[in-house]
Amino acid sequence: MLIGLSVALLYRKASDNIIRRKEAEKALKKHLEMEKEFNRELEPLVAERTMSLIALTVADKLRNPATVIGMICKKLLRKIDDRKEVSDGLSNIMEETERLDHIVQNYEDLLESRKSMFVYGDINSVIREAVTLIERDAVDRGVKIIANLPDELLNINLRKNLLRIAVYHILSNAVEATAGKGTITVSTYEKDNRIFLVIADEGTGFKKEDLDKVFDPFFSTKENSYGLGMPLVRHIIKEHLGEIEVESGEGKGTVFKISFPIRWIR
């Protein structure tokens, strides 16, 4: 009787182990499929957004000097109408300045025409996916991620794939900065008709002199980096009519605080 019971218990334990192993394999397969899909989407989306970011940067840098040159030329032209050679030269400068302004406008029109379609959806579902994608890397680096996400839906106007890239990039940087020595906390909440997302890490943080440059194109504290990651994140957040702030100190970790309007009309 006891032998039969022991055999039954061993059989049940073996069966449970098989079930758990199959469930683990199924979960791993699902995770790998999600990673594969994300990577497939990531390259063209990042390329598109990076080009948009560069276009905006170029357009902004062209417009300011072009405007100043145009204003000075107009002012001078009013004073030297009787000197034809100088007047003709300034007129040519004015024409070229206007051409620069048209180039800027063409950039802006191109970006306007490529604006993504947004849907009203739950930001927490996007964040959960981003956390799931980065979780394995975090575990490998000895980093713990705590997600304090409410059960209720926190809906905003969003494009899921783009916002997931932004959140993933912040989390990826946080994991790298916190490797082997800390925790990353991800929280969302609603306040004053806005949805807030806070990502806080216990990593190396930024130097005081670097903090104001975090979102500048082509600035990076890493070797072999083009410095377009965080500007891209801000570009995506701004496209969602959101705001992003960063608080950090060397050796004190970093906190990104992002907020979005609950609803807006484009």
Side-chain angles (χ1 to χ4, degrees), residues 212-252:
D212 291 337
K213 305 174 188 175
V214 171
F215 299 111
D216 289 353
F218 312 113
F219 170 78
S220 178
T221 58
K222 305 176 188 176
E223 293 183 6
N224 303 318
S225 172
Y226 293 107
L228 289 173
M230 290 313 302
L232 178 63
V233 168
R234 184 173 65 172
H235 184 217
I236 292 173
I237 299 301
K238 291 294 184 183
E239 193 167 345
H240 285 73
L241 297 191
E243 298 175 359
I244 181 169
E245 301 173 356
V246 57
E247 297 176 4
S248 185
E250 193 170 7
K252 297 181 181 179

Side-chain angles (χ1 to χ4, degrees), residues 29-42:
K29 183 179 179 181
K30 183 178 180 181
H31 179 80
L32 292 174
E33 287 175 351
M34 179 182 280
E35 277 189 344
K36 186 177 180 180
E37 180 186 357
F38 178 69
N39 289 329
R40 188 168 58 247
E41 295 173 346
L42 185 62

